[in-house]
Amino acid sequence: MARNLDLAARTENIREQRPAPTQFDLDQIKAHFDESISAVEKQYEISDELFSEGKLDEAKTILRSQIVLAEGVLDFLIHEISKYGLYHMYEGSWEKSERYPNFSIQMRQFEIAMSAPDSKEWFFEFLNDRFSRDVFLAEDNMKDQLNLVGVSFSDVMQEAFPMDNQEQSIKYGKEVIKALFARRNAIAHQNDRSHTSAEQADITKSFVQDRLAEVKAIGNAIYVVARRH
């Protein structure tokens, strides 16, 4: 049987088809935050049971995990707000932030945009990929990201931690964010142990409850400020 030796035409401009990311509204974004925080808080039931059985190390491991998980929930909220804010600036329904005009995109994304000038979906997909590997939990990163997407960091801190004036709220909020991120990193990257002594820091349920209350205050404030737009 003769083999077909004709040259096949080269396939061009074929991209792997991936499901388009879902665009959630602000209330849906807030619901994701509330549901995830609630799931983290349910872990108290497990740590309480372990404490009652005298399994102190195991119980404290659960408490430590709650710090890391809660910070992850806050980071995801900022990711969702980032995509929402920048996309709505792009389509014109949100006032553009001062930093928006300097937000850069890759040339390949620019080419996609030029090939479909009437579509805005490419921009949301770009944002989904652009932020997927970023972490916005450090003080400066959180501040820069929120300001970029038009959710004033100063207003968020004032809403989350009301003081006599905004300056005091910002100062206090920055210390909270810094402490949360430091403890999250200590747990996630070194099992909550000191680099100098290798001793593990202690942790209590009341400490975790206070930290989760701070995470919720920041998350709720981000939603409130975004709604004001």
Side-chain angles (χ1 to χ4, degrees), residues 123-166:
F123 188 67
F124 191 80
E125 292 191 37
F126 159 68
L127 293 176
N128 198 64
D129 288 339
R130 169 65 177 78
F131 294 135
S132 62
R133 292 172 293 278
D134 293 337
V135 177
F136 303 123
L137 296 174
E139 172 199 334
D140 289 340
N141 290 350
M142 187 183 299
K143 176 182 176 181
D144 290 345
Q145 188 67 12
L146 290 177
N147 288 338
L148 167 66
V149 303
V151 181
S152 167
F153 178 80
S154 298
D155 290 348
V156 169
M157 292 300 99
Q158 188 171 32
E159 180 71 31
F161 309 110
M163 301 285 181
D164 291 338
N165 55 62
Q166 190 177 70

Side-chain angles (χ1 to χ4, degrees), residues 12 17 28 60 70 73 90 123 133 153-154 160 189 203 226:
E12 296 182 350
Q17 296 299 312
Q28 290 173 314
K60 291 180 181 182
V73 172
Y90 175 69
F123 188 67
R133 292 172 293 278
F153 178 80
S154 298
H189 301 301
I203 194 166

Side-chain angles (χ1 to χ4, degrees), residues 16-33:
E16 179 184 354
Q17 296 299 312
R18 295 180 298 170
T22 304
Q23 297 183 42
F24 297 106
D25 63 31
L26 285 176
D27 289 340
Q28 290 173 314
I29 291 171
K30 180 59 162 52
H32 297 161
F33 178 77

Side-chain angles (χ1 to χ4, degrees), residues 27-193:
D27 289 340
Q28 290 173 314
I29 291 171
K30 180 59 162 52
H32 297 161
F33 178 77
D34 291 340
E35 291 165 5
S36 298
I37 285 294
S38 178
V40 175
E41 290 177 322
K42 287 184 183 298
Q43 300 303 305
Y44 291 131
E45 299 174 8
I46 300 174
S47 61
D48 286 346
E49 182 176 350
L50 290 170
F51 273 122
S52 69
E53 295 173 356
K55 299 177 180 178
L56 304 186
D57 290 341
E58 292 87 344
K60 291 180 181 182
T61 295
I62 298 298
L63 294 178
R64 292 187 179 94
S65 72
Q66 287 177 281
I67 298 289
V68 177
L69 291 171
E71 280 276 86
V73 172
L74 179 59
D75 190 48
F76 187 70
L77 171 68
I78 298 173
H79 277 78
E80 291 206 284
I81 289 290
S82 296
K83 292 185 290 184
Y84 181 93
L86 283 172
Y87 180 76
H88 283 272
M89 287 180 195
Y90 175 69
E91 69 168 7
S93 58
W94 266 28
E95 180 182 356
K96 292 177 172 59
S97 67
E98 291 184 8
R99 295 184 55 206
Y100 175 85
N102 296 320
F103 186 67
S104 61
I105 67 171
Q106 298 171 332
M107 281 302 299
R108 67 183 181 87
Q109 295 295 337
F110 176 75
E111 290 174 354
I112 293 172
M114 293 301 292
S115 67
D118 296 329
S119 172
K120 295 173 181 169
E121 298 305 310
W122 71 270
F123 188 67
F124 191 80
E125 292 191 37
F126 159 68
L127 293 176
N128 198 64
D129 288 339
R130 169 65 177 78
F131 294 135
S132 62
R133 292 172 293 278
D134 293 337
V135 177
F136 303 123
L137 296 174
E139 172 199 334
D140 289 340
N141 290 350
M142 187 183 299
K143 176 182 176 181
D144 290 345
Q145 188 67 12
L146 290 177
N147 288 338
L148 167 66
V149 303
V151 181
S152 167
F153 178 80
S154 298
D155 290 348
V156 169
M157 292 300 99
Q158 188 171 32
E159 180 71 31
F161 309 110
M163 301 285 181
D164 291 338
N165 55 62
Q166 190 177 70
E167 183 179 351
Q168 291 180 3
S169 294
I170 294 170
K171 181 179 180 180
Y172 180 81
K174 285 182 175 181
E175 290 302 317
V176 167
I177 293 167
K178 187 176 181 179
L180 279 168
F181 190 50
R183 191 62 185 267
R184 175 259 191 196
N185 286 347
I187 295 170
H189 301 301
Q190 59 206 58
N191 196 26
D192 219 9
R193 293 185 181 276

